[in-house]
Short mmCIF file of all heavy atoms in Angstrom, two decimals:
data_model
loop_
_atom_site.label_atom_id
_atom_site.label_comp_id
_atom_site.label_asym_id
_atom_site.label_seq_id
_atom_site.Cartn_x
_atom_site.Cartn_y
_atom_site.Cartn_z
N ALA A 1 -1.25 4.19 -21.17
CA ALA A 1 -1.53 2.93 -20.38
C ALA A 1 -0.58 3.03 -19.10
O ALA A 1 -1.12 2.65 -18.04
CB ALA A 1 -1.02 1.77 -21.16
N LEU A 2 0.59 3.60 -19.18
CA LEU A 2 1.45 3.71 -18.01
C LEU A 2 0.88 4.80 -17.04
O LEU A 2 0.85 4.58 -15.81
CB LEU A 2 2.85 4.12 -18.45
CG LEU A 2 3.72 3.02 -19.13
CD1 LEU A 2 5.00 3.64 -19.77
CD2 LEU A 2 4.01 1.89 -18.19
N HIS A 3 0.36 5.81 -17.60
CA HIS A 3 -0.31 6.87 -16.72
C HIS A 3 -1.40 6.28 -15.98
O HIS A 3 -1.57 6.38 -14.67
CB HIS A 3 -0.79 8.00 -17.60
CG HIS A 3 -1.65 9.04 -16.87
ND1 HIS A 3 -3.00 8.94 -16.66
CD2 HIS A 3 -1.24 10.18 -16.28
CE1 HIS A 3 -3.46 9.95 -15.96
NE2 HIS A 3 -2.44 10.75 -15.77
N TRP A 4 -2.35 5.55 -16.66
CA TRP A 4 -3.57 5.02 -15.95
C TRP A 4 -3.18 3.82 -15.07
O TRP A 4 -3.93 3.56 -14.01
CB TRP A 4 -4.62 4.71 -17.01
CG TRP A 4 -5.16 5.96 -17.53
CD1 TRP A 4 -5.00 6.40 -18.76
CD2 TRP A 4 -5.96 6.96 -16.85
NE1 TRP A 4 -5.55 7.71 -18.91
CE2 TRP A 4 -6.20 8.01 -17.75
CE3 TRP A 4 -6.47 7.09 -15.57
CZ2 TRP A 4 -6.93 9.16 -17.44
CZ3 TRP A 4 -7.21 8.15 -15.28
CH2 TRP A 4 -7.47 9.26 -16.13
N ALA A 5 -2.12 3.17 -15.38
CA ALA A 5 -1.67 2.07 -14.48
C ALA A 5 -1.26 2.66 -13.10
O ALA A 5 -1.56 2.15 -12.10
CB ALA A 5 -0.57 1.26 -15.15
N ILE A 6 -0.47 3.76 -13.25
CA ILE A 6 -0.02 4.45 -12.06
C ILE A 6 -1.21 4.89 -11.22
O ILE A 6 -1.30 4.77 -9.98
CB ILE A 6 0.94 5.63 -12.45
CG1 ILE A 6 2.31 5.16 -12.91
CG2 ILE A 6 1.10 6.59 -11.16
CD1 ILE A 6 3.28 4.58 -11.89
N VAL A 7 -2.27 5.51 -11.98
CA VAL A 7 -3.47 5.98 -11.26
C VAL A 7 -4.12 4.84 -10.51
O VAL A 7 -4.40 4.96 -9.27
CB VAL A 7 -4.42 6.62 -12.24
CG1 VAL A 7 -5.82 6.81 -11.62
CG2 VAL A 7 -3.86 7.88 -12.78
N ALA A 8 -4.30 3.65 -11.19
CA ALA A 8 -4.96 2.54 -10.49
C ALA A 8 -4.10 1.98 -9.42
O ALA A 8 -4.69 1.73 -8.26
CB ALA A 8 -5.14 1.40 -11.57
N LEU A 9 -2.84 1.96 -9.50
CA LEU A 9 -1.96 1.41 -8.49
C LEU A 9 -1.98 2.42 -7.28
O LEU A 9 -2.03 1.93 -6.07
CB LEU A 9 -0.51 1.25 -8.96
CG LEU A 9 -0.26 0.05 -9.84
CD1 LEU A 9 1.06 0.25 -10.55
CD2 LEU A 9 -0.30 -1.21 -9.03
N LEU A 10 -1.96 3.73 -7.52
CA LEU A 10 -2.03 4.66 -6.35
C LEU A 10 -3.32 4.59 -5.67
O LEU A 10 -3.45 4.65 -4.43
CB LEU A 10 -1.77 6.11 -6.92
CG LEU A 10 -0.35 6.41 -7.20
CD1 LEU A 10 -0.28 7.82 -7.88
CD2 LEU A 10 0.57 6.35 -6.10
N MET A 11 -4.42 4.42 -6.36
CA MET A 11 -5.73 4.27 -5.79
C MET A 11 -5.80 3.07 -4.83
O MET A 11 -6.22 3.13 -3.72
CB MET A 11 -6.76 4.26 -6.77
CG MET A 11 -7.09 5.59 -7.47
SD MET A 11 -8.27 5.57 -8.92
CE MET A 11 -9.63 4.87 -8.17
N ALA A 12 -5.33 1.92 -5.37
CA ALA A 12 -5.28 0.74 -4.70
C ALA A 12 -4.34 0.84 -3.44
O ALA A 12 -4.69 0.45 -2.26
CB ALA A 12 -4.87 -0.50 -5.54
N GLN A 13 -3.26 1.47 -3.59
CA GLN A 13 -2.30 1.71 -2.55
C GLN A 13 -2.83 2.55 -1.40
O GLN A 13 -2.67 2.14 -0.20
CB GLN A 13 -0.99 2.36 -3.08
CG GLN A 13 0.11 2.60 -2.10
CD GLN A 13 0.72 1.27 -1.59
OE1 GLN A 13 0.02 0.33 -1.21
NE2 GLN A 13 2.03 1.21 -1.53
N PHE A 14 -3.52 3.62 -1.71
CA PHE A 14 -4.16 4.41 -0.72
C PHE A 14 -5.23 3.67 0.04
O PHE A 14 -5.39 3.79 1.29
CB PHE A 14 -4.61 5.78 -1.26
CG PHE A 14 -3.45 6.83 -1.26
CD1 PHE A 14 -2.87 7.04 -2.52
CD2 PHE A 14 -3.10 7.49 -0.17
CE1 PHE A 14 -1.81 7.90 -2.62
CE2 PHE A 14 -2.03 8.40 -0.25
CZ PHE A 14 -1.42 8.58 -1.45
N VAL A 15 -6.03 2.89 -0.66
CA VAL A 15 -7.17 2.12 -0.02
C VAL A 15 -6.37 1.13 1.01
O VAL A 15 -6.77 1.01 2.20
CB VAL A 15 -8.03 1.34 -0.94
CG1 VAL A 15 -8.84 0.36 -0.29
CG2 VAL A 15 -8.81 2.33 -1.75
N VAL A 16 -5.40 0.39 0.61
CA VAL A 16 -4.66 -0.49 1.47
C VAL A 16 -4.09 0.29 2.63
O VAL A 16 -4.18 -0.21 3.78
CB VAL A 16 -3.63 -1.32 0.73
CG1 VAL A 16 -2.77 -2.16 1.54
CG2 VAL A 16 -4.26 -2.32 -0.32
N ALA A 17 -3.36 1.43 2.30
CA ALA A 17 -2.73 2.20 3.44
C ALA A 17 -3.69 2.61 4.44
O ALA A 17 -3.35 2.61 5.69
CB ALA A 17 -1.92 3.33 2.79
N TRP A 18 -4.82 3.01 4.10
CA TRP A 18 -5.81 3.57 5.03
C TRP A 18 -6.54 2.46 5.83
O TRP A 18 -7.09 2.75 6.81
CB TRP A 18 -6.86 4.50 4.33
CG TRP A 18 -6.19 5.79 3.96
CD1 TRP A 18 -5.22 6.48 4.64
CD2 TRP A 18 -6.54 6.71 2.96
NE1 TRP A 18 -4.83 7.57 3.97
CE2 TRP A 18 -5.73 7.81 2.95
CE3 TRP A 18 -7.53 6.62 1.95
CZ2 TRP A 18 -5.82 8.83 2.08
CZ3 TRP A 18 -7.67 7.67 1.05
CH2 TRP A 18 -6.79 8.76 1.13
N THR A 19 -6.49 1.25 5.28
CA THR A 19 -7.18 0.17 6.02
C THR A 19 -6.28 -0.75 6.80
O THR A 19 -6.70 -1.51 7.57
CB THR A 19 -8.06 -0.74 5.00
OG1 THR A 19 -7.11 -1.22 3.98
CG2 THR A 19 -9.17 0.05 4.41
N MET A 20 -4.92 -0.64 6.60
CA MET A 20 -4.02 -1.47 7.25
C MET A 20 -3.87 -0.95 8.64
O MET A 20 -4.11 0.23 8.96
CB MET A 20 -2.69 -1.59 6.59
CG MET A 20 -1.80 -0.34 6.58
SD MET A 20 -0.37 -0.65 5.56
CE MET A 20 0.68 0.69 6.16
N PRO A 21 -3.38 -1.87 9.60
CA PRO A 21 -3.16 -1.35 11.01
C PRO A 21 -2.03 -0.32 11.13
O PRO A 21 -1.14 -0.37 10.27
CB PRO A 21 -2.89 -2.60 11.73
CG PRO A 21 -2.26 -3.53 10.68
CD PRO A 21 -3.01 -3.22 9.38
N GLU A 22 -2.20 0.47 12.16
CA GLU A 22 -1.10 1.39 12.40
C GLU A 22 0.21 0.65 12.73
O GLU A 22 0.15 -0.36 13.50
CB GLU A 22 -1.48 2.36 13.52
CG GLU A 22 -0.39 3.43 13.77
CD GLU A 22 -0.88 4.37 14.85
OE1 GLU A 22 -2.03 4.43 15.15
OE2 GLU A 22 0.02 5.06 15.39
N ILE A 23 1.27 1.07 12.13
CA ILE A 23 2.55 0.34 12.41
C ILE A 23 3.29 1.00 13.67
O ILE A 23 3.48 2.19 13.67
CB ILE A 23 3.46 0.48 11.22
CG1 ILE A 23 2.82 -0.27 10.02
CG2 ILE A 23 4.83 -0.17 11.45
CD1 ILE A 23 3.53 -0.14 8.70
N ARG A 24 3.42 0.18 14.60
CA ARG A 24 4.11 0.61 15.87
C ARG A 24 5.18 -0.48 16.15
O ARG A 24 5.27 -1.46 15.45
CB ARG A 24 3.10 0.55 16.99
CG ARG A 24 1.98 1.55 16.85
CD ARG A 24 1.03 1.47 17.97
NE ARG A 24 0.02 2.55 17.75
CZ ARG A 24 -0.95 2.79 18.47
NH1 ARG A 24 -1.17 2.04 19.66
NH2 ARG A 24 -1.84 3.64 18.30
N ARG A 25 5.90 -0.21 17.28
CA ARG A 25 6.82 -1.11 17.66
C ARG A 25 6.20 -2.49 17.94
O ARG A 25 5.17 -2.51 18.62
CB ARG A 25 7.60 -0.65 19.00
CG ARG A 25 8.71 -1.67 19.35
CD ARG A 25 9.47 -1.09 20.62
NE ARG A 25 10.44 -0.03 20.39
CZ ARG A 25 11.61 -0.32 19.85
NH1 ARG A 25 11.98 -1.46 19.46
NH2 ARG A 25 12.52 0.61 19.74
N GLY A 26 6.73 -3.58 17.44
CA GLY A 26 6.17 -4.89 17.66
C GLY A 26 5.14 -5.25 16.66
O GLY A 26 4.62 -6.37 16.64
N THR A 27 4.68 -4.38 15.77
CA THR A 27 3.80 -4.69 14.70
C THR A 27 4.38 -5.73 13.76
O THR A 27 5.57 -5.66 13.34
CB THR A 27 3.30 -3.46 13.87
OG1 THR A 27 2.77 -2.51 14.75
CG2 THR A 27 2.36 -3.84 12.77
N LYS A 28 3.53 -6.79 13.50
CA LYS A 28 4.04 -7.78 12.52
C LYS A 28 3.44 -7.50 11.22
O LYS A 28 2.29 -7.14 11.04
CB LYS A 28 3.57 -9.21 12.99
CG LYS A 28 4.00 -9.59 14.37
CD LYS A 28 5.46 -9.89 14.47
CE LYS A 28 5.81 -10.30 15.81
NZ LYS A 28 7.15 -9.77 16.21
N PRO A 29 4.27 -7.63 10.18
CA PRO A 29 3.76 -7.34 8.77
C PRO A 29 2.88 -8.50 8.31
O PRO A 29 3.38 -9.41 7.81
CB PRO A 29 5.06 -7.24 7.94
CG PRO A 29 6.11 -8.11 8.73
CD PRO A 29 5.66 -8.05 10.11
N GLU A 30 1.66 -8.28 8.41
CA GLU A 30 0.72 -9.27 7.98
C GLU A 30 0.11 -8.86 6.63
O GLU A 30 0.64 -7.96 6.00
CB GLU A 30 -0.41 -9.48 9.06
CG GLU A 30 0.23 -10.03 10.29
CD GLU A 30 -0.76 -10.17 11.49
OE1 GLU A 30 -1.88 -9.85 11.27
OE2 GLU A 30 -0.29 -10.73 12.47
N THR A 31 -1.00 -9.40 6.31
CA THR A 31 -1.47 -9.31 4.89
C THR A 31 -1.51 -7.91 4.32
O THR A 31 -1.02 -7.64 3.23
CB THR A 31 -2.86 -9.96 4.77
OG1 THR A 31 -2.83 -11.32 5.29
CG2 THR A 31 -3.33 -9.99 3.37
N LEU A 32 -2.23 -7.00 5.03
CA LEU A 32 -2.38 -5.58 4.41
C LEU A 32 -1.02 -4.86 4.37
O LEU A 32 -0.83 -4.11 3.40
CB LEU A 32 -3.42 -4.88 5.22
CG LEU A 32 -4.87 -5.25 4.98
CD1 LEU A 32 -5.84 -4.49 5.86
CD2 LEU A 32 -5.30 -5.10 3.57
N ILE A 33 -0.16 -5.03 5.44
CA ILE A 33 1.09 -4.41 5.34
C ILE A 33 2.00 -4.98 4.21
O ILE A 33 2.56 -4.30 3.52
CB ILE A 33 1.82 -4.54 6.70
CG1 ILE A 33 1.02 -3.67 7.86
CG2 ILE A 33 3.34 -4.04 6.69
CD1 ILE A 33 1.46 -3.94 9.24
N ASN A 34 1.97 -6.29 4.07
CA ASN A 34 2.67 -6.97 2.95
C ASN A 34 2.18 -6.44 1.61
O ASN A 34 2.92 -6.20 0.63
CB ASN A 34 2.70 -8.36 3.12
CG ASN A 34 3.53 -9.03 4.23
OD1 ASN A 34 4.61 -8.36 4.48
ND2 ASN A 34 3.13 -9.99 4.80
N LEU A 35 0.87 -6.34 1.49
CA LEU A 35 0.29 -5.89 0.30
C LEU A 35 0.69 -4.52 -0.03
O LEU A 35 0.98 -4.11 -1.17
CB LEU A 35 -1.26 -6.02 0.35
CG LEU A 35 -2.06 -5.72 -0.93
CD1 LEU A 35 -1.64 -6.68 -2.06
CD2 LEU A 35 -3.59 -5.88 -0.63
N HIS A 36 0.74 -3.60 1.03
CA HIS A 36 1.10 -2.17 0.86
C HIS A 36 2.61 -2.15 0.46
O HIS A 36 2.86 -1.34 -0.51
CB HIS A 36 0.94 -1.46 2.25
CG HIS A 36 1.35 -0.07 2.15
ND1 HIS A 36 0.59 0.87 1.56
CD2 HIS A 36 2.41 0.57 2.69
CE1 HIS A 36 1.13 2.08 1.75
NE2 HIS A 36 2.26 1.91 2.42
N LEU A 37 3.44 -2.98 1.03
CA LEU A 37 4.78 -2.98 0.53
C LEU A 37 5.01 -3.50 -0.89
O LEU A 37 5.66 -2.87 -1.65
CB LEU A 37 5.60 -3.92 1.44
CG LEU A 37 5.73 -3.44 2.92
CD1 LEU A 37 6.44 -4.53 3.73
CD2 LEU A 37 6.51 -2.15 3.04
N SER A 38 4.21 -4.47 -1.25
CA SER A 38 4.24 -4.97 -2.65
C SER A 38 3.73 -3.93 -3.62
O SER A 38 4.39 -3.70 -4.73
CB SER A 38 3.36 -6.24 -2.74
OG SER A 38 3.91 -7.25 -2.00
N PHE A 39 2.63 -3.23 -3.32
CA PHE A 39 2.12 -2.23 -4.19
C PHE A 39 3.25 -1.07 -4.32
O PHE A 39 3.35 -0.53 -5.43
CB PHE A 39 0.86 -1.62 -3.77
CG PHE A 39 -0.33 -2.23 -4.17
CD1 PHE A 39 -1.36 -2.66 -3.24
CD2 PHE A 39 -0.59 -2.59 -5.51
CE1 PHE A 39 -2.48 -3.35 -3.64
CE2 PHE A 39 -1.75 -3.15 -5.93
CZ PHE A 39 -2.77 -3.62 -5.05
N GLY A 40 3.90 -0.77 -3.32
CA GLY A 40 4.94 0.26 -3.34
C GLY A 40 6.04 -0.15 -4.26
O GLY A 40 6.50 0.68 -5.08
N VAL A 41 6.45 -1.38 -4.28
CA VAL A 41 7.54 -1.84 -5.20
C VAL A 41 7.00 -1.80 -6.64
O VAL A 41 7.75 -1.41 -7.61
CB VAL A 41 8.05 -3.20 -4.84
CG1 VAL A 41 8.99 -3.72 -5.82
CG2 VAL A 41 8.72 -3.17 -3.41
N VAL A 42 5.73 -2.29 -6.81
CA VAL A 42 5.23 -2.19 -8.17
C VAL A 42 5.13 -0.73 -8.74
O VAL A 42 5.48 -0.47 -9.92
CB VAL A 42 3.82 -2.99 -8.30
CG1 VAL A 42 3.19 -2.75 -9.58
CG2 VAL A 42 4.01 -4.44 -7.94
N ILE A 43 4.69 0.14 -7.84
CA ILE A 43 4.61 1.51 -8.26
C ILE A 43 5.95 2.11 -8.60
O ILE A 43 6.17 2.69 -9.64
CB ILE A 43 4.01 2.41 -7.10
CG1 ILE A 43 2.49 2.11 -6.99
CG2 ILE A 43 4.24 3.92 -7.31
CD1 ILE A 43 1.81 2.71 -5.84
N LEU A 44 6.95 1.72 -7.86
CA LEU A 44 8.31 2.19 -8.14
C LEU A 44 8.85 1.61 -9.51
O LEU A 44 9.40 2.39 -10.28
CB LEU A 44 9.25 1.64 -6.97
CG LEU A 44 10.73 2.10 -6.94
CD1 LEU A 44 10.75 3.66 -6.93
CD2 LEU A 44 11.43 1.46 -5.74
#
């Protein structure tokens, strides 16, 4: 269960990472960036 949970989280994380806007100076953390950060903490 832990193995497959990590697999599902990583798949979701990569989808979010590839669809979120590029982070540059002045970028505001909106929905996709916040979701990416949240998935990262859950993966950790």
